Amino acid sequence: MDTLRTEEIAALALKRVNDDRYVLASLIFERVKELGNGAKPLVDMDIKIHKLPDIAMREIAEGKVELTSIEDRE
């Protein structure tokens, strides 16, 4: 997945949430909050080099973060 362009990663992430852009945006937002509060990335990306939304999008595209995993914490 390292060789994929941003558009391709976004397309994969969108497929993971049944092409619902609102759900994807909400999921990215929640994951960025978690990463900002000290959660470790679930993908091999350095928080000091990459932007948090890019890390969150990659996690979603790879299936490491799903909507149910965040809903369960509330």
Side-chain angles (χ1 to χ4, degrees), residues 7-74:
E7 296 84 8
E8 295 168 319
I9 293 169
L12 287 171
L14 197 54
K15 284 183 184 179
R16 295 266 184 197
V17 294
N18 298 321
D19 294 317
D20 189 329
R21 292 176 185 268
Y22 175 76
V23 170
L24 179 58
S26 297
L27 188 55
I28 290 170
F29 177 73
E30 289 298 324
R31 184 60 182 152
V32 165
K33 284 195 316 189
E34 291 177 350
L35 290 167
N37 287 329
K40 301 239 187 247
L42 302 174
V43 292
D44 188 26
M45 294 177 77
D46 188 347
I47 249 176
K48 295 176 184 172
I49 297 172
H50 298 93
K51 295 177 183 174
L52 297 182
D54 293 339
I55 295 171
M57 181 91 67
R58 173 73 59 99
E59 290 176 337
I60 296 163
E62 291 185 11
K64 305 215 176 186
V65 173
E66 296 177 358
L67 186 59
T68 55
S69 64
I70 289 177
E71 287 177 341
D72 290 343
R73 292 183 180 174
E74 294 178 351

